Amino acid sequence: MTVVDVPVGHPAGTYWYHPHLHGSTAEQIAGGMAGVIVVEGDIDEVPEIKAAADVIVCINELKLKDGEVPAFTSGSWMTDVPSVFTVNGTVNPTITLRPGEVQRWRVVAATAFTALQLTIAHDHGHLPVHQIAQDGVAFTEPVTLTEIDLAMGNRADILVRGGEPGSYTLRATGVPGPLMTVRVTGEPLDPPMTLPTSLPPGRPFLDERDIAHPDADREVVFHADPGVFPGAFPNAFRMLGTHATPPADPDGDLTHDPAYGLFDPGYANHTLRLGTVERWTVRSDETMPAFNHPFHLHTNQLLLTHRNGRRLDPPVWHDTIGLTGGTPGRSATFLVAYEDFTGHALAHCHQLHHEDLGMMQNVTYVQDPPPAAE
């Protein structure tokens, strides 16, 4: 049995877990090996949130053929086997809301391959939602939206209030059929349940002025080269930029190099010093907008400050940041403070087919300054 101690001060919110055996991560999650973790705390005591039903909405993406998860035996495995989407293990379950009732939904994109642009749709438009947290970190106030964009691995806590009676559906752009049916029915609540106007202070923001050492800027570029390898998995999924894994042949054709920018379990790509703040810029050089390379750094939250060079006001905490393709591909800049943990961890693409095939780097967290030798 494994015991996990949640430290005092850990942000209250919605988290998830899944296996991470390199080479099999996508296959295992496509078989349903994922779950939700809820950390309770100050946001749960806000009266309007405390009064709302607390509902897990865990969206899984399964790959099934003849009732089984087929073996991951070729690069076409992802596209040849259609995805089956479930919510809490059920295909298109139904949830009910009374008119005027508020529910808190903890939405988890536990998908390995597909980003989710979510809406609650009905015949006359969309039911608005009120987001209160992203990736386990609370906002300072609810944000009203009609669409929620979740990359693979993202979470969003939202408040949903029942409107006119009728049948609604939770849908994702590009996914056939509804993910979940929402029925607004029953005696209306009079008066309707209220929404909070403010939330407890979440994780404090970082600032560029917190960067206190040279070489604190890092860059990561997600890049794929087709036809590099013989056999069933021909494409090289690379993480280039600052501290990319060195090529096998520095003087050769890097587009066909079998090592350049690919995961090497014996190579430390990034050494990160505890107590410091750094700025990373990550981008995709994919040309197709539909291709998404979500960036995920294990252990520390990321404060997203810029999208495509434009500053966000306010910035938003994430632990996974989606990066779609295009001309040019999308970019993101974030600040990150290295806290608490020393040891080995990972940075990787959270499109897990890509991670399994090389889009991953080793990260080592160390003390700053290193402890004096005894």
Side-chain angles (χ1 to χ4, degrees), residues 236-272:
F237 291 92
R238 309 185 193 272
M239 291 177 69
L240 305 180
T242 309
H243 305 303
T245 305
D249 181 7
D251 299 320
D253 178 5
L254 294 183
T255 64
H256 289 84
D257 192 277
Y260 178 49
L262 298 176
F263 177 63
D264 178 350
Y267 183 80
N269 298 89
H270 303 279
T271 299
L272 309 176

mmCIF file of all heavy atoms in Angstrom, residues 236-272:
data_model
loop_
_atom_site.group_PDB
_atom_site.id
_atom_site.type_symbol
_atom_site.label_atom_id
_atom_site.label_comp_id
_atom_site.label_asym_id
_atom_site.label_seq_id
_atom_site.Cartn_x
_atom_site.Cartn_y
_atom_site.Cartn_z
ATOM 1 N N ALA A 236 9.743 10.244 -35.628
ATOM 2 C CA ALA A 236 10.505 10.709 -34.472
ATOM 3 C C ALA A 236 9.788 11.911 -33.865
ATOM 4 O O ALA A 236 9.648 12.944 -34.520
ATOM 5 C CB ALA A 236 11.924 11.074 -34.886
ATOM 6 N N PHE A 237 9.338 11.770 -32.633
ATOM 7 C CA PHE A 237 8.655 12.843 -31.919
ATOM 8 C C PHE A 237 9.666 13.476 -30.964
ATOM 9 O O PHE A 237 10.067 12.864 -29.976
ATOM 10 C CB PHE A 237 7.437 12.301 -31.168
ATOM 11 C CG PHE A 237 6.332 11.866 -32.084
ATOM 12 C CD1 PHE A 237 6.249 10.558 -32.533
ATOM 13 C CD2 PHE A 237 5.385 12.778 -32.517
ATOM 14 C CE1 PHE A 237 5.227 10.165 -33.387
ATOM 15 C CE2 PHE A 237 4.354 12.389 -33.375
ATOM 16 C CZ PHE A 237 4.284 11.078 -33.816
ATOM 17 N N ARG A 238 10.069 14.717 -31.274
ATOM 18 C CA ARG A 238 11.210 15.330 -30.610
ATOM 19 C C ARG A 238 10.790 16.531 -29.748
ATOM 20 O O ARG A 238 9.802 17.214 -30.044
ATOM 21 C CB ARG A 238 12.221 15.819 -31.650
ATOM 22 C CG ARG A 238 12.626 14.789 -32.694
ATOM 23 C CD ARG A 238 13.726 15.361 -33.595
ATOM 24 N NE ARG A 238 13.955 14.572 -34.795
ATOM 25 C CZ ARG A 238 14.782 13.547 -34.891
ATOM 26 N NH1 ARG A 238 15.475 13.177 -33.828
ATOM 27 N NH2 ARG A 238 14.943 12.884 -36.035
ATOM 28 N N MET A 239 11.587 16.789 -28.699
ATOM 29 C CA MET A 239 11.526 18.027 -27.933
ATOM 30 C C MET A 239 12.863 18.725 -28.130
ATOM 31 O O MET A 239 13.900 18.268 -27.622
ATOM 32 C CB MET A 239 11.235 17.759 -26.459
ATOM 33 C CG MET A 239 9.823 17.240 -26.207
ATOM 34 S SD MET A 239 9.475 16.826 -24.464
ATOM 35 C CE MET A 239 9.469 18.445 -23.698
ATOM 36 N N LEU A 240 12.836 19.816 -28.880
ATOM 37 C CA LEU A 240 14.045 20.539 -29.221
ATOM 38 C C LEU A 240 14.137 21.820 -28.384
ATOM 39 O O LEU A 240 13.354 22.028 -27.474
ATOM 40 C CB LEU A 240 14.051 20.851 -30.716
ATOM 41 C CG LEU A 240 13.875 19.629 -31.638
ATOM 42 C CD1 LEU A 240 13.888 20.050 -33.096
ATOM 43 C CD2 LEU A 240 14.941 18.580 -31.360
ATOM 44 N N GLY A 241 15.098 22.673 -28.692
ATOM 45 C CA GLY A 241 15.270 23.911 -27.943
ATOM 46 C C GLY A 241 16.374 23.790 -26.917
ATOM 47 O O GLY A 241 17.376 23.086 -27.121
ATOM 48 N N THR A 242 16.202 24.465 -25.772
ATOM 49 C CA THR A 242 17.227 24.493 -24.728
ATOM 50 C C THR A 242 17.442 23.087 -24.155
ATOM 51 O O THR A 242 16.501 22.442 -23.716
ATOM 52 C CB THR A 242 16.794 25.432 -23.592
ATOM 53 O OG1 THR A 242 16.423 26.692 -24.146
ATOM 54 C CG2 THR A 242 17.921 25.632 -22.595
ATOM 55 N N HIS A 243 18.674 22.636 -24.197
ATOM 56 C CA HIS A 243 19.067 21.356 -23.591
ATOM 57 C C HIS A 243 18.364 20.159 -24.231
ATOM 58 O O HIS A 243 18.009 19.187 -23.544
ATOM 59 C CB HIS A 243 18.826 21.361 -22.079
ATOM 60 C CG HIS A 243 19.491 22.493 -21.365
ATOM 61 N ND1 HIS A 243 20.848 22.730 -21.425
ATOM 62 C CD2 HIS A 243 18.976 23.496 -20.588
ATOM 63 C CE1 HIS A 243 21.142 23.802 -20.716
ATOM 64 N NE2 HIS A 243 20.034 24.292 -20.208
ATOM 65 N N ALA A 244 18.166 20.221 -25.539
ATOM 66 C CA ALA A 244 17.642 19.046 -26.242
ATOM 67 C C ALA A 244 18.638 17.891 -26.136
ATOM 68 O O ALA A 244 19.855 18.104 -26.030
ATOM 69 C CB ALA A 244 17.392 19.386 -27.709
ATOM 70 N N THR A 245 18.125 16.679 -26.156
ATOM 71 C CA THR A 245 19.001 15.513 -26.143
ATOM 72 C C THR A 245 19.952 15.571 -27.339
ATOM 73 O O THR A 245 19.503 15.801 -28.466
ATOM 74 C CB THR A 245 18.162 14.227 -26.195
ATOM 75 O OG1 THR A 245 17.218 14.251 -25.118
ATOM 76 C CG2 THR A 245 19.034 12.992 -26.081
ATOM 77 N N PRO A 246 21.250 15.386 -27.135
ATOM 78 C CA PRO A 246 22.208 15.539 -28.234
ATOM 79 C C PRO A 246 21.983 14.520 -29.352
ATOM 80 O O PRO A 246 21.500 13.408 -29.114
ATOM 81 C CB PRO A 246 23.564 15.303 -27.557
ATOM 82 C CG PRO A 246 23.322 15.541 -26.104
ATOM 83 C CD PRO A 246 21.908 15.119 -25.854
ATOM 84 N N PRO A 247 22.324 14.903 -30.594
ATOM 85 C CA PRO A 247 22.186 13.976 -31.710
ATOM 86 C C PRO A 247 23.227 12.873 -31.655
ATOM 87 O O PRO A 247 24.305 13.036 -31.068
ATOM 88 C CB PRO A 247 22.392 14.867 -32.942
ATOM 89 C CG PRO A 247 23.206 16.013 -32.450
ATOM 90 C CD PRO A 247 22.788 16.231 -31.024
ATOM 91 N N ALA A 248 22.913 11.762 -32.285
ATOM 92 C CA ALA A 248 23.890 10.687 -32.417
ATOM 93 C C ALA A 248 25.006 11.098 -33.365
ATOM 94 O O ALA A 248 26.170 10.721 -33.181
ATOM 95 C CB ALA A 248 23.195 9.420 -32.903
ATOM 96 N N ASP A 249 24.664 11.880 -34.390
ATOM 97 C CA ASP A 249 25.643 12.347 -35.374
ATOM 98 C C ASP A 249 25.471 13.844 -35.558
ATOM 99 O O ASP A 249 24.686 14.286 -36.389
ATOM 100 C CB ASP A 249 25.451 11.608 -36.697
ATOM 101 C CG ASP A 249 26.465 12.031 -37.760
ATOM 102 O OD1 ASP A 249 27.402 12.797 -37.415
ATOM 103 O OD2 ASP A 249 26.318 11.613 -38.922
ATOM 104 N N PRO A 250 26.205 14.679 -34.776
ATOM 105 C CA PRO A 250 26.017 16.133 -34.861
ATOM 106 C C PRO A 250 26.283 16.713 -36.245
ATOM 107 O O PRO A 250 25.755 17.783 -36.572
ATOM 108 C CB PRO A 250 27.025 16.668 -33.840
ATOM 109 C CG PRO A 250 27.302 15.518 -32.928
ATOM 110 C CD PRO A 250 27.178 14.286 -33.771
ATOM 111 N N ASP A 251 27.073 16.036 -37.046
ATOM 112 C CA ASP A 251 27.412 16.548 -38.369
ATOM 113 C C ASP A 251 26.532 15.962 -39.472
ATOM 114 O O ASP A 251 26.744 16.268 -40.654
ATOM 115 C CB ASP A 251 28.889 16.253 -38.679
ATOM 116 C CG ASP A 251 29.824 16.928 -37.689
ATOM 117 O OD1 ASP A 251 29.538 18.079 -37.317
ATOM 118 O OD2 ASP A 251 30.812 16.288 -37.284
ATOM 119 N N GLY A 252 25.579 15.143 -39.094
ATOM 120 C CA GLY A 252 24.743 14.487 -40.092
ATOM 121 C C GLY A 252 23.419 15.206 -40.313
ATOM 122 O O GLY A 252 23.235 16.364 -39.933
ATOM 123 N N ASP A 253 22.469 14.492 -40.901
ATOM 124 C CA ASP A 253 21.129 15.014 -41.184
ATOM 125 C C ASP A 253 20.287 14.885 -39.924
ATOM 126 O O ASP A 253 19.843 13.789 -39.577
ATOM 127 C CB ASP A 253 20.521 14.217 -42.344
ATOM 128 C CG ASP A 253 19.103 14.668 -42.665
ATOM 129 O OD1 ASP A 253 18.624 15.650 -42.053
ATOM 130 O OD2 ASP A 253 18.467 14.016 -43.526
ATOM 131 N N LEU A 254 20.063 16.019 -39.248
ATOM 132 C CA LEU A 254 19.358 15.963 -37.969
ATOM 133 C C LEU A 254 17.906 15.540 -38.121
ATOM 134 O O LEU A 254 17.303 15.033 -37.164
ATOM 135 C CB LEU A 254 19.441 17.326 -37.268
ATOM 136 C CG LEU A 254 20.841 17.761 -36.824
ATOM 137 C CD1 LEU A 254 20.771 19.097 -36.088
ATOM 138 C CD2 LEU A 254 21.509 16.710 -35.951
ATOM 139 N N THR A 255 17.305 15.740 -39.283
ATOM 140 C CA THR A 255 15.914 15.320 -39.469
ATOM 141 C C THR A 255 15.778 13.801 -39.464
ATOM 142 O O THR A 255 14.666 13.290 -39.308
ATOM 143 C CB THR A 255 15.323 15.878 -40.774
ATOM 144 O OG1 THR A 255 16.040 15.328 -41.889
ATOM 145 C CG2 THR A 255 15.395 17.393 -40.801
ATOM 146 N N HIS A 256 16.885 13.100 -39.660
ATOM 147 C CA HIS A 256 16.839 11.642 -39.614
ATOM 148 C C HIS A 256 17.727 11.068 -38.510
ATOM 149 O O HIS A 256 17.986 9.864 -38.486
ATOM 150 C CB HIS A 256 17.241 11.052 -40.968
ATOM 151 C CG HIS A 256 16.215 11.265 -42.035
ATOM 152 N ND1 HIS A 256 16.137 12.428 -42.769
ATOM 153 C CD2 HIS A 256 15.188 10.476 -42.457
ATOM 154 C CE1 HIS A 256 15.117 12.347 -43.623
ATOM 155 N NE2 HIS A 256 14.522 11.178 -43.442
ATOM 156 N N ASP A 257 18.168 11.942 -37.594
ATOM 157 C CA ASP A 257 19.024 11.477 -36.506
ATOM 158 C C ASP A 257 18.200 10.628 -35.533
ATOM 159 O O ASP A 257 17.085 11.022 -35.151
ATOM 160 C CB ASP A 257 19.636 12.660 -35.779
ATOM 161 C CG ASP A 257 20.750 12.241 -34.842
ATOM 162 O OD1 ASP A 257 20.435 11.838 -33.702
ATOM 163 O OD2 ASP A 257 21.922 12.295 -35.255
ATOM 164 N N PRO A 258 18.714 9.480 -35.092
ATOM 165 C CA PRO A 258 17.934 8.585 -34.226
ATOM 166 C C PRO A 258 17.947 8.964 -32.754
ATOM 167 O O PRO A 258 17.309 8.271 -31.946
ATOM 168 C CB PRO A 258 18.625 7.236 -34.439
ATOM 169 C CG PRO A 258 20.056 7.600 -34.713
ATOM 170 C CD PRO A 258 19.994 8.881 -35.500
ATOM 171 N N ALA A 259 18.640 10.052 -32.373
ATOM 172 C CA ALA A 259 18.716 10.420 -30.963
ATOM 173 C C ALA A 259 18.327 11.860 -30.689
ATOM 174 O O ALA A 259 17.824 12.172 -29.596
ATOM 175 C CB ALA A 259 20.135 10.179 -30.427
ATOM 176 N N TYR A 260 18.523 12.740 -31.638
ATOM 177 C CA TYR A 260 18.375 14.184 -31.428
ATOM 178 C C TYR A 260 16.979 14.539 -30.927
ATOM 179 O O TYR A 260 15.968 14.285 -31.583
ATOM 180 C CB TYR A 260 18.664 14.894 -32.748
ATOM 181 C CG TYR A 260 18.514 16.392 -32.728
ATOM 182 C CD1 TYR A 260 19.099 17.176 -31.753
ATOM 183 C CD2 TYR A 260 17.798 17.042 -33.733
ATOM 184 C CE1 TYR A 260 18.975 18.554 -31.750
ATOM 185 C CE2 TYR A 260 17.674 18.422 -33.753
ATOM 186 C CZ TYR A 260 18.263 19.174 -32.752
ATOM 187 O OH TYR A 260 18.141 20.534 -32.759
ATOM 188 N N GLY A 261 16.929 15.129 -29.737
ATOM 189 C CA GLY A 261 15.664 15.593 -29.177
ATOM 190 C C GLY A 261 14.724 14.511 -28.704
ATOM 191 O O GLY A 261 13.594 14.815 -28.299
ATOM 192 N N LEU A 262 15.154 13.259 -28.716
ATOM 193 C CA LEU A 262 14.304 12.152 -28.267
ATOM 194 C C LEU A 262 14.634 11.782 -26.822
ATOM 195 O O LEU A 262 15.751 11.999 -26.344
ATOM 196 C CB LEU A 262 14.493 10.932 -29.172
ATOM 197 C CG LEU A 262 14.120 11.122 -30.645
ATOM 198 C CD1 LEU A 262 14.443 9.862 -31.439
ATOM 199 C CD2 LEU A 262 12.648 11.469 -30.792
ATOM 200 N N PHE A 263 13.682 11.190 -26.142
ATOM 201 C CA PHE A 263 13.885 10.814 -24.748
ATOM 202 C C PHE A 263 15.022 9.822 -24.611
ATOM 203 O O PHE A 263 15.088 8.804 -25.300
ATOM 204 C CB PHE A 263 12.601 10.216 -24.178
ATOM 205 C CG PHE A 263 12.749 9.740 -22.761
ATOM 206 C CD1 PHE A 263 13.050 10.632 -21.747
ATOM 207 C CD2 PHE A 263 12.586 8.406 -22.438
ATOM 208 C CE1 PHE A 263 13.187 10.211 -20.431
ATOM 209 C CE2 PHE A 263 12.717 7.969 -21.126
ATOM 210 C CZ PHE A 263 13.023 8.868 -20.123
ATOM 211 N N ASP A 264 15.934 10.150 -23.709
ATOM 212 C CA ASP A 264 17.039 9.264 -23.356
ATOM 213 C C ASP A 264 17.025 9.136 -21.840
ATOM 214 O O ASP A 264 17.294 10.114 -21.132
ATOM 215 C CB ASP A 264 18.364 9.857 -23.833
ATOM 216 C CG ASP A 264 19.571 9.004 -23.459
ATOM 217 O OD1 ASP A 264 19.417 8.058 -22.670
ATOM 218 O OD2 ASP A 264 20.676 9.321 -23.945
ATOM 219 N N PRO A 265 16.699 7.961 -21.292
ATOM 220 C CA PRO A 265 16.586 7.830 -19.841
ATOM 221 C C PRO A 265 17.883 8.135 -19.107
ATOM 222 O O PRO A 265 17.859 8.421 -17.908
ATOM 223 C CB PRO A 265 16.146 6.379 -19.634
ATOM 224 C CG PRO A 265 16.504 5.676 -20.900
ATOM 225 C CD PRO A 265 16.395 6.686 -21.988
ATOM 226 N N GLY A 266 19.012 8.107 -19.802
ATOM 227 C CA GLY A 266 20.287 8.364 -19.148
ATOM 228 C C GLY A 266 20.773 9.793 -19.276
ATOM 229 O O GLY A 266 21.872 10.112 -18.784
ATOM 230 N N TYR A 267 19.992 10.681 -19.915
ATOM 231 C CA TYR A 267 20.448 12.052 -20.146
ATOM 232 C C TYR A 267 19.544 13.022 -19.388
ATOM 233 O O TYR A 267 18.311 12.973 -19.520
ATOM 234 C CB TYR A 267 20.415 12.387 -21.642
ATOM 235 C CG TYR A 267 20.935 13.770 -21.964
ATOM 236 C CD1 TYR A 267 22.298 14.008 -22.027
ATOM 237 C CD2 TYR A 267 20.057 14.835 -22.191
ATOM 238 C CE1 TYR A 267 22.789 15.274 -22.315
ATOM 239 C CE2 TYR A 267 20.537 16.108 -22.476
ATOM 240 C CZ TYR A 267 21.907 16.326 -22.535
ATOM 241 O OH TYR A 267 22.389 17.578 -22.812
ATOM 242 N N ALA A 268 20.153 13.909 -18.579
ATOM 243 C CA ALA A 268 19.390 14.921 -17.843
ATOM 244 C C ALA A 268 19.294 16.181 -18.697
ATOM 245 O O ALA A 268 20.296 16.875 -18.908
ATOM 246 C CB ALA A 268 20.057 15.231 -16.513
ATOM 247 N N ASN A 269 18.099 16.477 -19.195
ATOM 248 C CA ASN A 269 17.912 17.646 -20.057
ATOM 249 C C ASN A 269 17.921 18.955 -19.277
ATOM 250 O O ASN A 269 18.442 19.965 -19.758
ATOM 251 C CB ASN A 269 16.598 17.518 -20.824
ATOM 252 C CG ASN A 269 16.581 16.321 -21.746
ATOM 253 O OD1 ASN A 269 16.194 15.228 -21.322
ATOM 254 N ND2 ASN A 269 17.000 16.496 -22.991
ATOM 255 N N HIS A 270 17.319 18.957 -18.089
ATOM 256 C CA HIS A 270 17.182 20.196 -17.328
ATOM 257 C C HIS A 270 17.559 19.942 -15.878
ATOM 258 O O HIS A 270 17.030 19.019 -15.247
ATOM 259 C CB HIS A 270 15.747 20.728 -17.389
ATOM 260 C CG HIS A 270 15.248 20.975 -18.773
ATOM 261 N ND1 HIS A 270 15.541 22.115 -19.489
ATOM 262 C CD2 HIS A 270 14.470 20.203 -19.586
ATOM 263 C CE1 HIS A 270 14.971 22.056 -20.679
ATOM 264 N NE2 HIS A 270 14.314 20.909 -20.757
ATOM 265 N N THR A 271 18.454 20.765 -15.339
ATOM 266 C CA THR A 271 18.762 20.772 -13.918
ATOM 267 C C THR A 271 18.174 22.051 -13.338
ATOM 268 O O THR A 271 18.545 23.163 -13.738
ATOM 269 C CB THR A 271 20.275 20.713 -13.675
ATOM 270 O OG1 THR A 271 20.796 19.498 -14.235
ATOM 271 C CG2 THR A 271 20.578 20.749 -12.176
ATOM 272 N N LEU A 272 17.234 21.905 -12.412
ATOM 273 C CA LEU A 272 16.432 23.018 -11.912
ATOM 274 C C LEU A 272 16.685 23.168 -10.412
ATOM 275 O O LEU A 272 16.577 22.192 -9.655
ATOM 276 C CB LEU A 272 14.949 22.760 -12.179
ATOM 277 C CG LEU A 272 14.613 22.374 -13.633
ATOM 278 C CD1 LEU A 272 13.125 22.054 -13.774
ATOM 279 C CD2 LEU A 272 15.020 23.482 -14.597
#
